[in-house]
């Protein structure tokens, strides 16, 4: 093997050993650089005769080209390897499950409220909505619960300064203020009719919403839901309340043999007053009496505060707990689960 073939072999071998671009460029300098072996050989031609220059020059050139080709090969190989590494690092696993946009759903208590609304709608009741920050007047005084009434102590809540019919100052403790708010609006609309001695259209309304009390355990939450009901007319009796509420409970629980019990109770704004208990004939709660609402005939003082004459207008009101109804319907035993915001619990209702 002549010197040049050996040189090509050495160069090729060194290029192969280079594992980085920098190594390769350093190796290149040894052969093709300004003072590399090939360049030295070229310089040596100067001393030769014209004939020899031609012959020797051609041979050196061949060797040079072979070395350059080896260099190009190695460069390409290193570039491929580098790309390979990069592709591996940036690899996408196309078999991974995609990111899904979670499909939201209604809160179980919202579902209950929608059900309540649908059932009462079908019985001719409107749905009304009112403020959660309420005035002392609507929450207590107008409901026959004056400032010194002992019933107020059972409705402790969060107060802010001020407070008048126009300036709300407490978080409402029940939805009963909606009895007055809705009735006053209704009466205003039919004032002329009433003053002319004619009958106004009956008030038939429910008002679901959030309510607040200083209360917290497995069955009480400082924020909870209530749904108020009010039916005022010329001839509305406790019998109507019983029929309506029985119909509601049987439809809501989809159980025809469910029975109701009206247990005497006290509320300042109704007289007489009752607590409504229900009993299932079958299922896990069969035989137990479960309290679901408070109710009663609207107190004459409250009818007066609605702007109506209690000698002419009479009716009933009820207040039930959608949270409680949801617990009974789905067999949930801790109210707080509804408000913890834990999706593992909430998603079960979708
Ligand atoms: N507001 C009462 C409560 O919070 C319930 C109720 C409403 C009672 C309407 C009678 C009539 O306990």
């Amino acid at each position: 093997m002549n010197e040049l073939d050996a040189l090509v072999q050495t160069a090729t071998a060194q290029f192969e050993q280079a594992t980085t671009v920098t190594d390769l460029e350093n190796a290149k300098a040894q052969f093709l650089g300004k003072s590399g072996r090939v360049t030295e050989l070229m310089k040596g031609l100067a001393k030769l005769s014209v004939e020899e220059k031609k012959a020797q020059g051609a041979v050196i050139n061949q060797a040079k080209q072979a070395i350059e080709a080896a260099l190009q090969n190695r460069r390409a190989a290193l570039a491929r390897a580098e790309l390979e590494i990069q592709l591996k690092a940036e690899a996408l696993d196309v078999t991974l499950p995609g990111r899904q946009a979670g499909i939201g759903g209604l809160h179980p208590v919202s579902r209950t409220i929608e059900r309540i609304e649908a059932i009462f709608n079908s019985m001719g009741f409107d749905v009304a909505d009112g403020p959660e920050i309420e005035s002392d007047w609507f929450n207590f005084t107008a409901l026959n619960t004056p400032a010194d009434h002992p019933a107020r102590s059972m409705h402790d809540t969060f107060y802010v300064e001020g407070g008048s019919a126009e300036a709300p100052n407490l978080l409402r403790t029940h939805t009963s203020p909606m009895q007055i708010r809705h009735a006053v609006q209704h009466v205003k609309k039919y004032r002329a009719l009433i003053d002319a001695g004619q009958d106004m259209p009956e008030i038939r309304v429910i008002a679901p919403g959030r309510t607040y009390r200083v209360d917290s355990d497995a069955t009480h939450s400082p924020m909870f839901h209530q749904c108020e009901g009010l039916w005022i007319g010329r001839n509305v009796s406790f019998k109507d309340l019983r029929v309506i509420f029985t119909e509601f409970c049987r439809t809501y629980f989809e159980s025809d043999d469910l029975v109701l019990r009206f247990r005497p109770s006290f509320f300042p704004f109704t007289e007489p007053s009752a607590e409504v208990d229900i009993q299932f004939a079958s299922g896990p709660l069969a035989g137990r009496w479960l309290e679901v609402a408070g109710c009663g005939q609207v107190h004459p003082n409250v009818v007066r505060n609605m702007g109506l004459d209690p000698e002419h207008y009479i009716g009933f009101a009820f207040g039930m707990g959608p949270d409680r109804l949801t617990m009974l319907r789905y067999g949930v035993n801790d109210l707080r689960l509804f408000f913890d915001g834990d999706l593992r619990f909430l998603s079960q209702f979708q």
Side-chain angles (χ1 to χ4, degrees):
M1 193 192 290
N2 66 37
E3 196 203 342
L4 281 169
D5 285 344
L7 186 62
V8 171
Q9 237 176 43
T10 316
T12 308
Q14 288 211 16
F15 293 163
E16 286 305 319
Q17 275 170 23
T19 51
T20 66
V21 176
T22 323
D23 282 355
L24 184 59
E25 294 310 312
N26 287 339
K28 171 199 159 187
Q30 279 183 48
F31 302 96
L32 303 171
K34 258 189 198 147
S35 47
R37 292 287 292 120
V38 176
T39 320
E40 300 279 277
L41 288 172
M42 287 290 199
K43 281 180 189 159
L45 289 177
K47 291 176 266 167
L48 301 180
S49 69
V50 178
E51 232 85 297
E52 282 173 324
K53 254 186 208 160
K54 247 191 193 162
Q56 193 59 16
V59 182
I60 296 176
N61 243 331
Q62 246 176 16
K64 189 184 174 191
Q65 276 165 14
I67 292 173
E68 275 171 348
L71 176 68
Q72 285 311 329
N73 273 345
R74 189 59 189 153
R75 272 194 184 137
L78 283 183
R80 265 199 312 277
E82 204 161 288
L83 183 65
E84 207 63 33
I85 290 168
Q86 192 188 348
L87 285 179
K88 233 177 227 158
E90 294 173 0
L92 282 182
D93 183 352
V94 292
T95 65
L96 280 177
R99 280 196 202 103
Q100 299 182 344
I103 300 170
L106 279 185
H107 190 279
V109 174
S110 302
R111 282 171 178 267
T112 297
I113 290 174
E114 284 198 347
R115 261 176 89 73
I116 295 172
E117 289 178 2
I119 296 168
F120 275 99
N121 266 164
S122 77
M123 297 193 287
F125 280 71
D126 292 328
V127 177
D129 197 17
E132 289 168 31
I133 302 176
E134 194 44 287
S135 70
D136 189 280
W137 166 256
F138 285 116
N139 197 79
F140 292 122
T141 315
L143 291 167
N144 202 34
T145 317
D148 57 357
H149 199 289
R152 283 199 179 207
S153 62
M154 280 156 60
H155 284 225
D156 196 9
T157 183
F158 187 77
Y159 286 80
V160 293
E161 287 188 356
S164 64
E166 295 77 33
N169 70 325
L170 55 87
L171 292 179
R172 68 177 176 188
T173 59
H174 50 178
T175 45
S176 298
M178 282 307 293
Q179 289 184 32
I180 307 286
R181 282 187 179 275
H182 184 80
V184 164
Q185 268 188 0
H186 184 92
V187 168
K188 205 164 154 190
K189 208 154 71 185
Y190 297 106
R191 187 80 264 169
L193 209 66
I194 295 165
D195 288 346
Q198 285 183 284
D199 291 347
M200 65 166 192
E202 287 186 343
I203 296 173
R204 234 177 286 162
V205 69
I206 59 163
R210 277 184 279 271
T211 46
Y212 304 84
R213 273 184 221 180
V214 181
D215 234 348
S216 189
D217 59 40
T219 53
H220 295 89
S221 150
M223 188 288 299
F224 60 105
H225 296 84
Q226 276 200 345
C227 181
E228 198 73 10
L230 179 70
W231 187 355
I232 300 278
R234 286 302 301 272
N235 198 16
V236 186
S237 74
F238 232 96
K239 189 186 70 192
D240 296 306
L241 168 61
R242 200 183 170 98
V243 168
I244 283 285
F245 214 79
T246 304
E247 181 62 20
F248 164 73
C249 290
R250 288 184 176 167
T251 312
Y252 177 83
F253 287 108
E254 299 168 278
S255 162
D256 281 338
D257 42 18
L258 179 153
V259 287
L260 272 73
R261 172 174 83 178
F262 285 70
R263 183 164 38 85
S265 185
F266 173 82
F267 299 102
F269 34 93
T270 47
E271 180 59 38
S273 305
E275 215 91 53
V276 186
D277 301 333
I278 60 170
Q279 191 187 52
F280 295 98
S282 55
L285 297 168
R288 273 175 59 191
W289 286 107
L290 307 156
E291 187 188 318
V292 290
C295 67
Q297 184 177 304
V298 179
H299 193 285
N301 286 348
V302 177
V303 175
R304 224 169 268 125
N305 287 332
M306 291 171 175
L308 293 169
D309 178 0
E311 295 297 323
H312 280 81
Y313 287 98
I314 191 165
F316 61 76
F318 57 82
M320 58 180 156
D323 305 332
R324 193 81 205 284
L325 294 180
T326 313
M327 290 171 79
L328 291 175
R329 185 165 153 82
Y330 296 114
V332 175
N333 56 16
D334 193 333
L335 174 69
R336 291 167 294 198
L337 286 168
F338 288 133
F339 309 124
D340 282 347
D342 189 334
L343 287 178
R344 288 171 303 179
F345 170 74
L346 294 174
S347 60
Q348 296 177 76
F349 299 89
Q350 302 311 320

